[in-house]
Amino acid sequence: MVAALSLAVLFLPKLIKRPPYEPWPLKRLPLMKETEGLEAAISASLSYLQRLPPGRTFSSPIGPVSREQLLKTLNILAQASGLTPQEREVFLEKNLQAYRLRGDLLVTGYYEPLIKGDRRPSDLFSFPIYRCPDDLITVDLKAFGLKGKIFGRLQGRYLVPYYSREEIDIKGVLSARGLELFWLSDPLEAYFLQVQGSGVIELPGGERVRVHFACSNGRPYVSLAQILPASLNIKSLEEMKRYLRSLSDPLSVLAQNPRYVFFEEVSRGPLGSLGKVLVPERSVALDPRIFPPAAAFFLITRLPIVDEGDQLKGHRAFEFLVFNHDQGAAIKGPTRLDLFLGTGKMAGQIAGRLKAKGELFFLLAKEKVETKEER
């Protein structure tokens, strides 16, 4: 989900300076203790990297790494999955090096919402989500010898910022332009759909369709933590929704976040920024300025255990291989990681409560790799 923003970041975003990494003994990491979803996640990473031109390099926590190094790492993991536990331990230790992040990693979660909606407006479904407007202009500053991109619209001969959330949702500047993609019953669900970057919409007849981030207005993201009083001490997404629904005018509160996301209908998903289907508890979002795409990591943290009533029942240990399949506007810096947790209400409840410390280990193939045939 390209625009995926951590739910916990809605409550308490922090940025931490880039810390160094240190080599770490691989034998101390239970890399393949859990295998559910592993094959699909490795396959997604391989498929992405195989389509890139040879020699492509990326930034990483230990310096530049090549496409070929990343592919080699993933192939080692794929080969290891077919070995016995004893063989696997020896094989991985001989062929992989782990690098541990020094510093406190903040782990948060995101998910794919399931929302009721329709293709046409009605008394029940009256709040739209939009497709990309044709007057939204993207400028790549590389052409001007600068870094980054800016987004806007033409006003006479000048490029000005594109319409804000207030102008779109409250003043209705995009209404009657035929840009409505779907109609929802709840503006709060539309807002959190934008936060997640993709979702499933259930139509009145029971058909389910997927929508995915297509573009944004380019405005900065302002979290609800920056908007609402800290004294509220909100700890979950459901608590946040209940509070917002208690307000007389929640739209005016949400409008203080000027960033706005536009969608497209897609046939498969949920898709990450690499264009690959995200795998629950395997796909993560990391800062692309620091971490290479599709790369393999080992993550140690704790996930909340939540019942259907959104009551916290405890925590469980999480020690999984994860893969960099996504990015998010709020996931910045080397000590921020967003874990994809799946689709629907329960995934959302877990994601809404996940704000934990963790340990992250970057995995990379050693210079000389021993294949199964050479063993």
Side-chain angles (χ1 to χ4, degrees):
M1 304 177 184
V2 178
L5 302 179
S6 156
L7 290 174
V9 168
L10 295 170
F11 315 135
L12 186 60
K14 294 286 184 182
L15 295 181
I16 308 171
K17 291 183 179 180
R18 177 173 182 160
Y21 274 64
E22 60 180 338
W24 194 260
L26 200 77
K27 62 184 177 182
R28 294 172 62 179
L29 304 178
L31 293 188
M32 293 189 173
K33 182 180 177 181
E34 303 287 347
T35 59
E36 184 176 354
L38 182 57
E39 183 179 351
I42 293 174
S43 177
S45 285
L46 284 170
S47 176
Y48 173 77
L49 291 169
Q50 286 164 351
R51 293 173 180 266
L52 299 181
R56 179 83 178 267
T57 60
F58 305 94
S59 61
S60 88
I62 62 169
V65 296
S66 69
R67 162 190 176 269
E68 287 69 28
Q69 287 175 290
L70 298 175
L71 280 170
K72 188 183 294 185
T73 305
L74 294 165
N75 281 318
I76 289 168
L77 292 172
Q79 289 182 59
S81 62
L83 302 177
T84 67
Q86 293 77 16
E87 292 174 327
R88 184 185 304 145
E89 183 179 348
V90 174
F91 177 71
L92 290 174
E93 195 172 343
K94 283 185 176 180
N95 292 306
L96 288 184
Q97 175 63 58
Y99 299 89
R100 178 182 176 272
L101 169 68
R102 289 186 183 132
D104 291 329
L105 179 74
L106 175 59
V107 179
T108 51
Y110 67 110
Y111 76 112
E112 183 184 43
L114 175 60
I115 306 169
K116 293 186 182 296
D118 202 351
R119 295 185 185 275
R120 298 177 181 177
S122 64
D123 290 341
L124 178 59
F125 301 111
S126 59
F127 196 86
I129 60 171
Y130 295 103
R131 58 175 54 88
C132 278
D134 54 11
D135 61 341
L136 175 58
I137 296 172
T138 303
V139 179
D140 189 342
L141 295 177
K142 278 185 183 177
F144 299 89
L146 302 171
K147 293 182 179 180
K149 294 179 180 180
I150 57 173
F151 304 84
R153 59 186 176 87
L154 288 177
Q155 186 170 296
R157 297 175 56 195
Y158 296 94
L159 183 70
V160 299
Y162 202 74
Y163 299 116
S164 67
R165 181 176 300 278
E166 179 182 12
E167 292 171 304
I168 295 171
D169 280 350
I170 296 178
K171 296 182 180 179
V173 294
L174 296 185
S175 61
R177 287 180 50 179
L179 295 171
E180 294 85 0
L181 186 63
F182 286 96
W183 297 82
L184 309 181
S185 62
D186 188 345
L188 290 184
E189 295 297 344
Y191 179 86
F192 288 108
L193 175 64
Q194 292 189 37
V195 170
Q196 298 309 301
S198 69
V200 178
I201 296 177
E202 184 175 307
L203 303 178
E207 179 189 0
R208 292 183 175 184
V209 293
R210 275 194 159 93
V211 294
H212 179 67
F213 173 94
C215 63
S216 81
N217 63 353
R219 298 272 188 144
Y221 174 73
V222 179
S223 75
L224 288 171
Q226 296 167 275
I227 297 169
L228 299 175
S231 58
L232 291 173
N233 194 30
I234 293 173
K235 295 180 179 179
S236 77
L237 175 62
E238 294 305 313
E239 286 182 26
M240 176 65 74
K241 288 179 179 179
R242 284 194 293 270
Y243 172 75
L244 290 169
R245 288 191 175 106
S246 73
L247 302 177
S248 59
D249 185 14
L251 280 182
S252 65
V253 175
L254 300 179
Q256 294 178 58
N257 171 22
R259 184 176 176 83
Y260 205 91
V261 169
F262 303 98
F263 294 93
E264 61 182 343
E265 186 175 345
V266 294
S267 59
R268 63 191 183 95
L271 300 176
S273 60
L274 306 187
K276 302 300 176 183
V277 175
L278 299 173
V279 181
E281 298 191 2
R282 294 290 184 183
S283 296
V284 299
L286 293 163
D287 190 333
R289 300 170 301 176
I290 300 169
F291 299 97
F297 299 82
F298 190 73
L299 173 64
I300 299 175
T301 189
R302 296 168 75 234
L303 300 189
I305 300 171
V306 183
D307 66 16
E308 292 186 0
D310 194 41
Q311 296 300 307
L312 181 64
K313 296 299 183 181
H315 293 83
R316 65 180 174 93
F318 183 92
E319 298 181 346
F320 273 41
L321 277 169
V322 296
F323 300 84
N324 186 17
H325 291 158
D326 211 353
Q327 58 183 271
I331 308 304
K332 302 299 182 188
T335 56
R336 284 291 291 111
L337 180 147
D338 219 9
L339 175 65
F340 178 66
L341 290 161
T343 300
K345 182 179 178 180
M346 182 57 71
Q349 289 175 341
I350 296 170
R353 285 188 176 273
L354 177 55
K355 185 174 65 179
K357 290 183 178 181
E359 290 185 275
L360 188 64
F361 303 83
F362 177 46
L363 303 177
L364 199 62
K366 292 180 179 178
E367 291 278 327
K368 177 169 171 42
V369 172
E370 178 187 281
T371 65
K372 287 195 294 184
E373 290 73 18
E374 293 171 338
R375 288 170 52 253

